[in-house]
Structure formats: C-alpha cells, structure tokens
Amino acid sequence: MLADHEWLTPHDRPGGGSIAEWVERVRWLEANGWLRDPAEIAWPSDPEHPANRAQARDQLLCPPLCWRARCRRAGRCRHLMPLAIREFMPEFSVHISKAGGEVSPWRGPVDQGKLALLAELLPFDHPCGADGE
C-alpha cells in the first residue's frame, strides 16, 4: 500500500497533523481511489475543461514539493490527489494567499520552516502565476 511509505515524510506535521494522522488520511485517500495515477484516467478532450486545468496546475505545483521516489522517477505527480500539496497544508494555503496579495483565511498555527521552503521552491513568479491558476 502506498500509505505505508508515508511514514517516511520529512515533515513533522504533514497536513497540519501528526504523522500517524497523515498516514491514516492517506490510507483513506488510497482506499477511495484518490491516489490513482492521473496518466491512467480518461480526461475530457477540451484542454480548458476545469478538470484539465486543475490537473495541469497540480502537475506544476506538486513535483517541486514532493519527496516521493515514484513521483521523482516519473518527473510528475503520480496521484490524482496531489499528496505533496496536501502535505504542505495549511502552509500552502497561506503561501498562495500571500502570492495573490490576499490575507489567508487560515487562523491556526503555521510551520515557519514549511513557509520558508515554499517561498524557495514556489516563488511568487512560479509558472502557476500569483493567483494560483
């Protein structure tokens, strides 16, 4: 199972919780089909379809954040639900809000180390654009 590898996360609080909670979340995602390989899914033919745009965005944002060997070898995110982005929550939300010149709605604690890493890996001039699109 993919979730068994998630104990190797380099983050102390992946997804804003404990590593054990993270592994359980990933087990649920896996059991419910969210960790299928996007390359094996029949996407709509229209490149402007919201699903295609979301997938293209995830493929830009997830790989620089990911530590997983299978994604690194593939050179892309191998999961329909981009785990690296979820692993960086809530800091990812705070970073994207700041990039868009907005105040984040998140009011809980944030990991300053993750925010610094996000600023380095995904600077505001990243190809996804400041608005996350």
Side-chain angles (χ1 to χ4, degrees):
M1 292 184 69
L2 291 172
D4 294 334
H5 299 284
E6 294 301 308
W7 289 101
L8 302 174
T9 179
H11 305 292
D12 294 333
R13 298 198 42 81
S18 71
I19 295 174
E21 290 169 328
W22 172 252
V23 170
E24 285 308 308
R25 274 186 241 142
V26 173
R27 282 189 210 290
W28 185 91
L29 290 170
E30 189 171 17
N32 287 282
W34 286 101
L35 300 186
R36 293 174 294 161
D37 189 335
E40 298 172 1
I41 295 173
W43 296 96
S45 59
D46 177 9
E48 293 303 314
H49 188 281
N52 290 332
R53 289 176 47 111
Q55 180 59 27
R57 181 198 60 228
D58 291 347
Q59 290 299 330
L60 277 176
L61 297 174
C62 198
L65 304 175
C66 193
W67 56 268
R68 294 163 184 83
R70 67 190 310 253
C71 295
R72 291 262 186 222
R73 283 191 305 269
R76 64 181 178 82
C77 181
R78 298 267 322 259
H79 308 105
L80 181 59
M81 175 65 66
L83 290 178
I85 293 172
R86 288 185 65 93
E87 196 170 18
F88 268 83
M89 290 297 182
E91 292 79 12
F92 188 80
S93 172
V94 171
H95 179 72
I96 292 298
S97 294
K98 187 175 178 183
E102 300 173 4
V103 175
S104 172
W106 177 255
R107 296 292 174 246
V110 293
D111 181 325
Q112 294 302 319
K114 279 188 191 176
L115 282 176
L117 188 56
L118 283 168
E120 178 184 325
L121 295 173
L122 297 174
F124 294 157
D125 61 350
H126 187 270
C128 74
D131 63 354
E133 292 292 334

